[in-house]
Amino acid sequence: LLSTFGNIGTTRAWTSSKTTSSLFTKADSSSSSLVELGMASRSAQKIASRSTWAQSRGVTDVDSESAAEPGFCTIIGGGRIGSLLHQGENSLLLKRGDSIPDDNEGTPIFIATRNDSLDGIIADCPKGRLKDLVFLQNGYLDSYLEEKGLSDNTQCLLYLSVPALGVEAVDGITTVNPEGLTAATGVHAQALADLLASLGLKCNVVGMEDYKPAMFEKLIWISTYMLVGKAKECTSVGQAGADHGELVETVVNELLAAVSAKEGITFPEGAMSRLAAYTDVVADFPCGVKEFEWRNEYFYKLGDDACPTHNGLLKECKEKGFIDFELP
């Protein structure tokens, strides 16, 4: 769901803190009021549109809760997710070749890029801003962030889809979870929730004890539906669930048990129902075994005894020539 974004360049795009800050300083109070009015109007339109969409799916009680006006933020990546977040006026969008400014310390830096861009972004980030990095990536990031000394940074599970650049986002609101499935934890979690709320999108702010099982649940979703769909030559996750529901459920339950044994996590009841309901929302999303080291590899390395069906499907994909990388 995240756009491709290359490593951040080392050439500074701004010459001073004053220059950077001036980009977001309003000339007078009247112009500021007009901007705020425009933002409020766009937010109201988004929320109304989202409510209509949700109600058409039989979901009620989806009105966005009152949220604070989003504060200043920096967004890295101008793809589908980054451009979505940049719809607000109070943000700085960084693209390829831009650098993270030293100022605005204590404000969030939302990283809306692919996982393979993270090394360069972290390496080029000013030391004083490292704690402000917010990770929005899909996949298993725990060991990576621990290695980088960033385990306490804000993270988010984005349960939303942006089919194309500039197209309205499809939120993770389902009949099972009308409050939405997107969740964030960490010091900048509320800032992200406020920003998403201004766009008519849901975000639950949670503690790490609730975030971790939710993270693994999403990892299980993307690792299962994509894999089953690819192995069985489905065109979409919706088809994978519809045509191979029994196999999907077998893999999901297998991975839930494997993670519980490995991590000591207890998942809330109803995981399969939650994941199936979300699949209905993004039914047209194409299948593919991608970013293996961030997704399916975690389960594959647990071994064939723990994940026999999952690992067997990966080997089947390799035998059929559906994946172009070597399995460990």
Side-chain angles (χ1 to χ4, degrees), residues 172-191:
I173 298 171
T174 73
T175 53
V176 176
N177 293 96
E179 76 281 7
L181 286 165
T182 293
T185 190
V187 65
H188 293 306
Q190 189 59 56

Side-chain angles (χ1 to χ4, degrees), residues 84-294:
L84 170 71
L85 298 178
H86 187 52
Q87 289 184 38
E89 299 287 338
N90 200 19
S91 61
L92 172 65
L93 179 64
L94 302 180
K95 297 184 179 181
R96 190 186 303 273
D98 293 336
S99 296
I100 300 170
D102 294 316
D103 61 352
N104 294 307
E105 187 172 339
T107 63
I109 302 171
F110 299 121
I111 309 176
T113 72
R114 285 186 179 275
N115 301 50
D116 58 10
S117 296
L118 292 177
D119 279 348
I121 292 170
I122 293 169
D124 291 339
C125 181
K127 298 300 182 184
R129 302 302 313 279
L130 283 170
K131 64 182 179 298
D132 293 325
L133 295 177
V134 177
F135 296 90
L136 309 178
Q137 285 66 33
N138 281 316
Y140 178 70
L141 299 178
D142 280 14
S143 57
Y144 177 83
L145 293 179
E146 183 177 356
E147 178 187 323
K148 298 292 184 180
L150 302 174
S151 295
D152 293 333
N153 278 53
T154 303
Q155 299 179 56
C156 178
L157 304 170
L158 282 178
Y159 272 94
L160 59 85
S161 168
V162 184
L165 192 65
V167 174
E168 187 171 337
V170 177
D171 203 353
I173 298 171
T174 73
T175 53
V176 176
N177 293 96
E179 76 281 7
L181 286 165
T182 293
T185 190
V187 65
H188 293 306
Q190 189 59 56
L192 178 59
D194 290 341
L195 176 56
L196 291 175
S198 74
L199 301 171
L201 299 167
K202 296 284 191 177
C203 180
N204 301 289
V205 177
V206 299
M208 182 54 74
E209 68 279 3
D210 292 320
Y211 184 85
K212 196 160 187 177
M215 178 274 289
F216 274 111
E217 202 166 290
K218 189 182 182 192
L219 182 64
I220 289 170
W221 179 83
I222 201 166
S223 297
T224 299
Y225 279 87
M226 296 288 192
L227 175 59
V228 170
K230 190 65 177 177
K232 302 307 176 184
E233 302 183 52
C234 299
T235 58
S236 66
V237 294
Q239 184 185 0
D243 294 353
H244 304 281
E246 186 175 340
L247 178 58
V248 166
E249 187 167 355
T250 296
V251 177
V252 166
N253 289 331
E254 178 177 285
L255 300 188
L256 287 169
V259 171
S260 294
K262 170 68 174 177
E263 305 288 342
I265 290 174
T266 300
F267 290 92
E269 291 293 327
M272 189 64 237
S273 297
R274 287 190 293 276
L275 299 184
Y278 178 64
T279 304
D280 290 341
V281 173
V282 293
D284 294 333
F285 201 78
C287 298
V289 181
K290 304 175 181 178
E291 297 187 321
F292 174 74
E293 64 273 26
W294 301 96

